[in-house]
Amino acid sequence: MLKAVFPGSFDPPTNGHLNLVHRAAALFDETDVVIASNRMKSYLFSAEERFRMMSELVSPYANVKVFIWDRLIVEFAERNGARILLRGVRALTDFGYEFELAMTNRGLNGTVQTLFMPTDPQYFVLRSSAIKEIAAFGGDISSMVPPKVAEAVRSKFPRP
Ligand code: ADP
């Protein structure tokens, strides 16, 4: 049984994240989407809100589960019997950070392997941070996130 962990902030989940989930669901027997609840970071959506959005979005996939986790991701992987840590990479600029993160995680637990999956071209420039910024200025985010997520993001930035 090949189980992968797909960790992230998902603040909020985007079409880019869902593309990765879709492809992972076809590759692995089980994919655990793990929503980070990191005290050092500030989020627009609470962990519970992100969990609810993500759970609804992955409901079509019988082999994808969603979790909230506030500790090291390698610890989650070990406890849940996952040997693969999946990360998406977009532009080349992602590589430096992701490479370091992969090294760090490997140092923490040598049995968990990080795999990078390049984004599909149409999601190349999709970032949760950019989506929040566009929404804060009243821009249209409907092509970047699923409709319910767009609604949830808009509700965080009420227009006068
Ligand atoms: P983090 O704070 O851990 O980077 P994110 O929610 O930004 O969390 O991203 C979670 C994962 O999804 C990361 O592996 C990231 O590279 C990947 N990802 C984010 N956006 C995209 C995208 N547009 N295409 C492919 N992968 C993406």
Side-chain angles (χ1 to χ4, degrees), residues 6-11 14 16-17 20 41 86-90 94 97-98 119 123-124 126 128:
F6 179 37
S9 304
F10 307 110
D11 187 40
T14 69
H17 293 136
L20 240 76
K41 277 193 182 179
L86 181 68
R87 295 287 291 177
V89 278
R90 289 159 294 202
D94 279 351
Y97 171 72
E98 290 294 338
T119 184
Y123 307 112
F124 195 70
L126 264 193
S128 299

Side-chain angles (χ1 to χ4, degrees), residues 11-47:
D11 187 40
T14 69
N15 291 339
H17 293 136
L18 291 180
N19 174 252
L20 240 76
V21 167
H22 181 73
R23 291 156 68 196
L27 275 179
F28 306 111
D29 297 303
E30 184 181 316
T31 302
D32 292 348
V33 176
V34 180
I35 296 180
S37 172
N38 181 345
R39 271 169 302 214
M40 316 273 279
K41 277 193 182 179
S42 59
Y43 302 99
L44 179 63
F45 291 97
S46 70

Side-chain angles (χ1 to χ4, degrees), residues 1-5 30-34 65-69 72-84 109 112:
M1 158 119 175
L2 201 52
K3 200 196 254 198
V5 168
E30 184 181 316
T31 302
D32 292 348
V33 176
V34 180
K65 295 180 186 172
V66 185
F67 298 84
I68 297 174
W69 189 247
L72 291 172
I73 193 61
V74 286
E75 213 175 303
F76 179 94
E78 191 167 356
R79 280 204 198 177
N80 290 277
R83 280 175 296 141
I84 292 169
N109 186 326
V112 181

Side-chain angles (χ1 to χ4, degrees), residues 136-158:
F137 287 109
D140 182 14
I141 55 166
S142 58
S143 64
M144 305 168 189
V145 292
K148 280 206 174 154
V149 173
E151 209 180 296
V153 175
R154 276 188 220 113
S155 74
K156 295 275 182 186
F157 302 105

